[in-house]
Amino acid sequence: MSQSKKNEATTNKLWGGRFAEPTDAFVQRFTASEAFDRRLASQDIRGSIAHAQMLCAQNILSPADLAEIEMGLSQISDEIAQDNFDWRVDREDVHMNIEARLTEIIGDTGKKLHTGRSRNDQVATDIRLWLRESIDAVTLQLTRLQRGIVELAAAHAATIMPGFTHLQVAQPITFGHHLLAWYEMLDRDFGRLQDCRVRLNQSPLGAAALAGTTFPIDRMMTAETLGFDGPTRNSLDSVSDRDFAIEFTAAAALITTHLSRMSEELVLWTSAQFAFINIPDRFCTGSSIMPQKKNPDVPELVRGKTGRINGHLMALLTLMKSQPLAYNKDNQEDKEPLFDTVQTLHDCLRAFADMVPALVPNQENMRNAALEGFATATDLADYLVRRGVAFRDAHEVVGNAVAHCVAESCRLEDLPLTLLRSFYHDIDADVFEVLTLEGSVAARDHIGGTSPVQVAAAAATALKLLSSR
Ligand code: ARG
């Protein structure tokens, strides 16, 4: 904008008293937040109603004042819901847009609403209310996804696949067992979201600008009206604390990190080289040049979104680093990263919750893959240990047998008993049961093991837990 451009901004009516000239037009737009914090409108209105009711109960406002304020706020609520609200950048943020409109509607009584309150405790209250609801919405999607995973796991408690370490075939496992590992990651995430919710659920309302207020307010009452567990304990901390936003975003970063791990596996498994899984067409897209392509876009995109949420976490941590007490305008920058984190996380979880129950495993390919790579070599070593061989010696014996198979391009279970006995004398025909994939998984029959019995039991327990949420 050219230097000579006239300053077209007006002095803000809500705080302009001490100002000798209007705010610079660009500064007005630069410092305004109404374009994004309008998302807090319903929380702001609820906070204002709770505050006004408390002021009335404490004889600071008259019942007639309260009735007018409630009427005006309810009209504003309708205007916003019907997209009929005139959001104004000269009114800076959601709080002053609503307050100024209230005064337009009900007249001078509207000017009493801000008694004993500041935008500093107001915005702290609004974000906590908003994030509390967002955590509940995100948790709902997380639970849907967990349920989808567990149901698939229950259906595949006995479906064999290779388990990997270093992305090399390690030991046979069941597909259900692998899925329940995903479930466990997400269950810790559930716990983190709940922890965060408990810690954020304290009411900052009444902290006012930073030091509290001279009016005989009842902070217990507003806390209770707004569904908080109680009021915060220190007014300075109340207006400056954004830990809850960081905690939530950290939890979100870990959730998307988990989703990115699942995504990576799905991308691998849907490739022609693995061909373990088919993702139905409705979750995939094609290529504009290669007619044969069907790409696993949902897991790829979710994998990519992880970077975005990690970025928001860094933004919020850096925002709060070195901030002196109490409120600083810096804090206006908490909103966009937080809003986008919630939206992104919610969409990622929703996409996964929709997709996971529709995954179609190719059981034959999974089983065949487990037959490669000597997946039951540890079972043979364990067999020898049961025959009195020390594990380290058994490891060596089986290593020799595997080397022989590699040279001969055959599998352990293909070796005739006589040949097996050349590696260790005391081996009997029952060894072949131990070398089967089914025998291998069934033998790992303890809490947390991959046997179909254990997997089915773990899935049943998880389902019961989920239905009690
Ligand atoms: N829009 C501000 C924010 O988001 C509200 C609080 C502003 N308080 C102040 N004293 N400027 O943080």
Side-chain angles (χ1 to χ4, degrees):
M1 193 180 292
S2 85
Q3 293 252 304
S4 59
K5 177 116 171 98
K6 272 231 305 285
N7 186 355
E8 65 213 8
T10 47
T11 302
N12 190 301
K13 293 251 173 3
L14 281 87
W15 48 246
R18 61 101 69 220
F19 283 73
E21 62 171 359
T23 317
D24 175 84
F26 176 70
V27 169
Q28 185 170 84
R29 290 198 300 278
F30 182 67
T31 53
S33 55
E34 56 79 35
F36 50 86
D37 69 12
R38 59 176 72 171
R39 200 182 295 219
L40 299 173
S42 91
Q43 290 76 17
D44 196 69
I45 290 172
R46 266 157 51 214
S48 287
I49 292 173
H51 177 67
Q53 287 173 342
M54 180 278 291
L55 291 180
C56 178
Q58 298 298 101
N59 297 317
I60 303 165
L61 281 184
S62 73
D65 289 342
L66 173 62
E68 275 187 77
I69 287 172
E70 285 183 323
M71 189 273 289
L73 288 172
S74 139
Q75 180 180 327
I76 291 172
S77 185
D78 292 343
E79 288 175 359
I80 293 172
Q82 288 151 19
D83 210 9
N84 207 10
F85 187 86
D86 182 23
W87 291 101
R88 285 171 47 171
V89 70
D90 62 307
R91 288 175 177 173
E92 198 175 318
D93 57 22
V94 59
H95 322 293
M96 294 199 295
N97 264 276
I98 290 174
E99 192 190 321
R101 176 71 187 135
L102 180 68
T103 301
E104 269 173 13
I105 298 171
I106 67 171
D108 283 350
T109 308
K111 297 179 181 170
K112 297 183 181 176
L113 172 62
H114 214 50
T115 310
R117 181 178 81 165
S118 154
R119 277 185 295 155
N120 297 350
D121 61 340
Q122 195 178 349
V123 72
T125 305
D126 292 0
I127 318 172
R128 284 175 190 248
L129 288 174
W130 183 86
L131 188 55
R132 191 176 71 191
E133 287 160 34
S134 300
I135 288 175
D136 292 345
V138 161
T139 302
L140 216 67
Q141 296 301 325
L142 183 80
T143 301
R144 267 187 71 217
L145 172 56
Q146 282 186 286
R147 186 169 296 119
I149 289 172
V150 175
E151 280 167 0
L152 197 60
H156 291 282
T159 302
I160 305 269
M161 70 179 283
F164 299 92
T165 60
H166 312 266
L167 207 55
Q168 313 285 318
V169 170
Q171 291 174 348
I173 57 168
T174 69
F175 183 44
H177 196 52
H178 193 112
L179 289 168
L180 288 183
W182 289 3
Y183 166 84
E184 292 295 333
M185 299 179 193
L186 296 174
D187 214 48
R188 291 190 294 275
D189 291 325
F190 171 81
R192 272 181 281 272
L193 288 176
Q194 293 317 106
D195 285 352
C196 172
R197 192 188 192 286
V198 167
R199 243 185 315 280
L200 80 72
N201 203 30
Q202 306 286 324
S203 174
L205 203 57
L210 75 165
T213 172
T214 57
F215 295 95
I217 56 171
D218 181 352
R219 295 193 61 207
M220 289 292 192
M221 179 178 168
T222 42
E224 198 183 321
T225 310
L226 294 170
F228 287 114
D229 295 330
T232 51
R233 288 190 296 259
N234 179 291
S235 64
L236 292 178
D237 180 51
S238 305
V239 295
S240 82
D241 170 37
R242 294 294 182 273
D243 289 2
F244 54 88
I246 296 176
E247 272 189 50
F248 171 79
T249 307
L254 205 38
I255 295 172
T256 39
T257 296
H258 290 153
L259 293 180
S260 80
R261 297 182 66 186
M262 298 170 201
S263 295
E264 177 74 8
E265 294 186 330
L266 288 174
V267 170
L268 282 171
W269 292 349
T270 52
S271 70
Q273 289 67 30
F274 276 80
F276 283 4
I277 291 283
N278 184 37
I279 301 180
D281 288 1
R282 65 183 181 280
F283 298 105
C284 299
T285 66
S287 156
S288 58
I289 175 169
M290 297 170 283
Q292 85 284 11
K293 288 299 294 281
K294 173 177 154 181
N295 298 324
D297 285 43
V298 169
E300 289 177 79
L301 196 54
V302 167
R303 194 174 55 183
K305 300 256 188 210
T306 311
R308 178 169 168 152
I309 293 190
N310 288 351
H312 292 326
L313 177 58
M314 286 310 117
L316 289 173
L317 284 167
T318 312
L319 173 69
M320 295 314 294
K321 181 189 173 294
S322 313
Q323 244 200 65
L325 290 171
Y327 176 86
N328 300 282
K329 182 77 168 180
D330 311 40
N331 283 356
Q332 187 163 289
E333 282 291 300
D334 65 352
K335 288 169 201 66
E336 286 161 295
L338 187 62
F339 293 161
D340 189 66
T341 297
V342 165
Q343 185 71 53
T344 304
L345 177 62
H346 184 275
D347 291 353
C348 288
L349 285 169
R350 184 195 155 157
F352 253 69
D354 290 347
M355 180 184 65
V356 162
L359 296 176
V360 184
N362 185 328
Q363 302 191 38
E364 202 186 321
N365 288 351
M366 284 180 162
R367 192 173 193 287
N368 287 340
L371 287 170
E372 303 302 328
F374 310 100
T376 56
T378 316
D379 296 83
L380 179 54
D382 289 353
Y383 174 90
L384 295 176
V385 168
R386 285 193 291 276
R387 300 234 152 180
V389 183
F391 181 78
R392 195 48 62 206
D393 294 333
H395 187 288
E396 164 96 19
V397 168
V398 178
N400 292 334
V402 167
H404 174 85
C405 289
V406 170
E408 298 294 317
S409 300
C410 66
R411 295 170 178 163
L412 281 171
E413 59 272 31
D414 298 336
L415 299 179
L417 192 53
T418 46
L419 187 56
L420 274 173
R421 281 179 176 157
S422 71
F423 295 103
Y424 183 73
H425 66 279
D426 187 21
I427 297 179
D428 288 314
D430 59 352
V431 76
F432 293 108
E433 170 59 21
V434 160
L435 291 177
T436 64
L437 298 176
E438 284 72 17
S440 173
V441 292
R444 286 164 171 78
D445 190 22
H446 51 75
I447 296 171
T450 194
S451 82
V453 174
Q454 293 290 341
V455 171
T461 306
L463 272 181
K464 207 145 89 231
L465 229 124
L466 288 173
S467 56
S468 71
R469 270 189 201 163

